[in-house]
Amino acid sequence: ELEGLNSKINELLELSEEKEFSCHLTIARSKNASSTEFLQALKELKKIKISETFNAGSVELMESELLPEGAKYSVVKSFRLS
């Protein structure tokens, strides 16, 4: 389902190949974690089985700007779901 959504968003936004949108979910971010710490955390996260379902009232298209002091996130567009 995400591939279809990804393709539709790229089509609607008329994005070039080098700027293509990629659907993803950011679970965590760290500027200061070492490769070893990151790999250990990833190993632990892979053990967690997520089986919860939920209803979403909206979906937000976000833009992230990576700055020296950290990422800045802003809502580009909000889509209300019925």
Side-chain angles (χ1 to χ4, degrees), residues 21-75:
F21 175 74
S22 177
C23 290
H24 67 281
L25 171 66
T26 302
I27 296 174
R29 252 185 114 81
S30 175
K31 258 174 66 167
N32 303 321
S34 68
S35 295
T36 304
E37 290 169 321
F38 176 79
L39 291 173
Q40 182 60 36
L42 186 59
K43 184 178 174 183
E44 293 300 316
L45 283 171
K46 285 182 176 183
K47 294 177 185 177
I48 300 171
K49 182 165 179 118
I50 301 172
S51 60
E52 297 294 320
T53 60
F54 61 91
N55 293 321
S58 65
V59 173
E60 277 69 43
L61 179 60
M62 304 292 292
E63 178 179 31
S64 61
E65 183 180 359
L66 300 179
L67 303 169
E69 62 272 10
K72 176 186 168 193
Y73 301 98
S74 54
V75 176

